[in-house]
Amino acid sequence: MVRSKTPLETAVQLLRRRDYSIAGLGKALIDKGYSDEEVKVVLDRLIRERFVDDLRFAEDRVRHLREKGKGRLYIASWLREHGLATEQIHAALEEGFPIEDEAQLAKKLLEIAACSSNDVGATLRERQRRYRRLVSSGFSREALEACGYGDEGT
């Protein structure tokens, strides 16, 4: 197979579009047909020259997902799926989304939901719906308790 681009050129082209984790960029290059050895050489160079940096990637994703209203559990899971190590995930979350901030975001989202529903005295069913929404967005038990929720949204 004759390739028109080197693995380095392909990697740089991918990085122009968006940031990647090291594992994510490696997978993208493998998917494009480059050998494990070619990918390793390119990744080593890009890491050395700081074109890819897992901690920077994690911090950026934490900021972005937090702004989209996602909780710490969701963010940690997303980062894990993209090949980041547990230590990097914890460091990025502690730096960019402390537990106290998660509770404040959960409260803010609940206030927005309460205002948009025109429901001053939320029914049990409404409270449970809001609870499920926060859980599905990956908010921790601590954040939910700070919002006045116990088990099952009551």
Side-chain angles (χ1 to χ4, degrees):
M1 177 177 158
V2 178
R3 293 189 190 115
S4 60
K5 293 182 185 173
T6 68
L8 180 61
E9 290 170 330
T10 301
V12 169
Q13 182 181 31
L14 289 168
L15 289 168
R16 280 189 190 128
R17 292 186 200 139
R18 68 175 179 88
D19 204 8
Y20 280 83
S21 66
I22 295 167
L25 184 58
K27 182 182 179 322
L29 292 171
I30 294 288
D31 290 349
K32 293 212 177 273
Y34 296 105
S35 72
D36 289 343
E37 184 56 34
E38 289 174 308
V39 170
K40 182 183 179 332
V41 169
V42 168
L43 288 177
D44 287 345
R45 179 174 175 185
L46 293 172
I47 292 166
R48 190 175 55 253
E49 295 180 11
R50 299 189 45 81
F51 282 97
V52 289
D53 180 319
D54 276 350
L55 187 55
R56 181 183 66 221
F57 174 80
E59 289 171 348
D60 179 63
R61 293 291 87 194
V62 166
R63 190 171 29 261
H64 175 74
L65 292 169
R66 175 185 177 171
E67 289 170 0
K68 288 182 70 173
K70 302 300 181 185
R72 288 171 52 96
L73 296 174
Y74 178 97
I75 295 169
S77 176
W78 192 95
L79 292 171
R80 201 171 302 108
E81 287 174 16
H82 286 80
L84 276 82
T86 301
E87 307 80 48
Q88 294 167 320
I89 294 169
H90 287 300
L93 284 170
E94 287 308 309
E95 177 66 28
F97 199 8
I99 291 172
E100 304 80 34
D101 291 357
E102 182 186 40
Q104 290 174 350
L105 177 60
K107 287 177 184 178
K108 180 179 176 185
L109 292 173
L110 286 173
E111 288 170 11
I112 291 169
C115 290
S116 66
S117 70
N118 292 326
D119 184 7
V120 177
T123 64
L124 177 60
R125 184 176 181 162
E126 178 65 20
R127 282 185 49 79
Q128 289 173 331
R129 186 184 68 75
R130 291 176 190 162
Y131 172 84
R132 286 191 304 274
R133 187 175 197 185
L134 290 173
V135 169
S136 69
S137 291
F139 284 88
S140 67
R141 176 178 296 281
E142 294 84 4
L144 295 170
E145 287 173 356
C147 293
Y149 285 104
D151 291 336
E152 304 302 317
T154 55

